[in-house]
Amino acid sequence: MTNDDDWSPEVQRMLQEAQAMMTDEVMEETLRSKAGVDPSRLPTLLDLVAIGVTNGAWRNSCIENWHAEGRLSDGDMMRINSYTTDAMRRRLNGWCIESGITSASSTALAGIDAEDVVVLAGRLFRWLTNAERRLPTGMTLGELVRSVEDLEEYEDHADRFLGSFTGQMEDKGVRFGLLRTACHGALACPQWWAHPTWPDRVDRFIRILDDVTDPHWGSNGERRGRLGTEPPTAQDHDILRATLLESPWKLDPPAAEWIVDAGIGYLTP
């Protein structure tokens, strides 16, 4: 189960306010007013659900501890988080197709049974915990975890989170549960790939790379100066923009580290 302590006080407050009413309508209004998202658009909603699941079932786990220990760098985390979000999104989209949803409106989710979500959660769990699957960094999950105990610790976390993910839908319905998970993704991870604000964030990032006067670089552009020249694979800004928009996990390690060091996550779109 995701740990609320991992969320900022403001995010916790907004989610608690939404949960107090426990209705689809309040979740929808939270997405509209706090995240600027139209919850009626199914593709947008599924993007945010994918982010929420990735943050809850993957990042906010022992994975973050291993990151702090140095097993994964900041650039590694950016690539793996975006890769995992894409994997969750593709499985959510496939599940919707299998469930007969052809509408672009999220209201179609109301016709799905909670039992169908259990099937989805099982698929997500098996993919997330597969020790043989290869991360975009080149190593397998088994190589990252290093021991049976590590893998079991992660499996337990993913199982608890996905159990909570499905359990909340038994009483309130599938659409409610997905809206709540989308609120998690929208509010806790506004700087992530696949968030509706990501394209604007990327466009601003590309613009300021050649503008040392932008406030992001400090009053005298000193942060841009300390950052140094882009790595070779990041020097073509058109290609860099396309990669950031479509598949950040395909960045090579030097480019990923440089982009994180440049503070893309701290930009205001």
Side-chain angles (χ1 to χ4, degrees), residues 186-257:
L187 301 178
C189 308
Q191 76 280 23
W192 278 32
W193 176 80
H195 194 281
T197 61
W198 180 251
D200 287 343
R201 184 181 298 274
V202 169
D203 283 344
R204 184 174 176 219
F205 179 73
I206 295 299
R207 285 198 305 271
I208 70 170
L209 287 179
D210 296 319
D211 181 7
V212 297
T213 66
D214 189 276
H216 178 72
W217 302 123
S219 57
N220 297 309
E222 63 274 9
R223 185 177 180 188
R224 183 66 179 90
R226 290 196 304 268
L227 188 62
T229 304
E230 299 93 321
T233 57
Q235 290 180 3
D236 186 319
H237 291 174
D238 289 337
I239 294 176
L240 178 61
R241 177 181 180 275
T243 303
L244 285 170
L245 290 174
E246 298 168 10
S247 48
W249 56 91
K250 293 182 180 179
L251 293 164
D252 65 10
E257 295 299 332

Side-chain angles (χ1 to χ4, degrees), residues 1-5 7 11-31 35 39 45-46 48-53 55-56 106 109 160-170 172-189:
M1 186 181 301
T2 195
N3 185 351
D4 288 358
D5 291 339
W7 302 344
V11 168
Q12 291 185 52
R13 183 188 64 77
M14 288 188 286
L15 286 175
Q16 287 166 359
E17 287 177 357
Q19 290 177 57
M21 296 294 292
M22 299 299 279
T23 65
D24 288 19
E25 290 75 19
V26 170
M27 294 297 174
E28 290 171 349
E29 180 56 28
T30 298
L31 287 168
L45 186 67
L46 292 181
L48 292 171
V49 172
I51 293 174
V53 170
N55 192 46
S106 66
L109 294 168
R160 286 185 289 116
F161 176 85
L162 291 168
S164 177
F165 172 71
T166 58
Q168 66 188 332
M169 302 182 196
E170 293 178 358
K172 295 292 183 177
V174 170
R175 188 167 183 269
F176 170 85
L178 294 178
L179 282 167
R180 185 188 182 283
T181 305
C183 284
H184 173 178
L187 301 178
C189 308

Side-chain angles (χ1 to χ4, degrees), residues 14 30 62 80 90 102 128 150 156 167 170 186 189 220 225 245:
M14 288 188 286
T30 298
C62 47
I80 296 173
R90 286 188 285 108
T102 57
L128 285 165
D150 279 356
D156 181 62
E170 293 178 358
C189 308
N220 297 309
L245 290 174

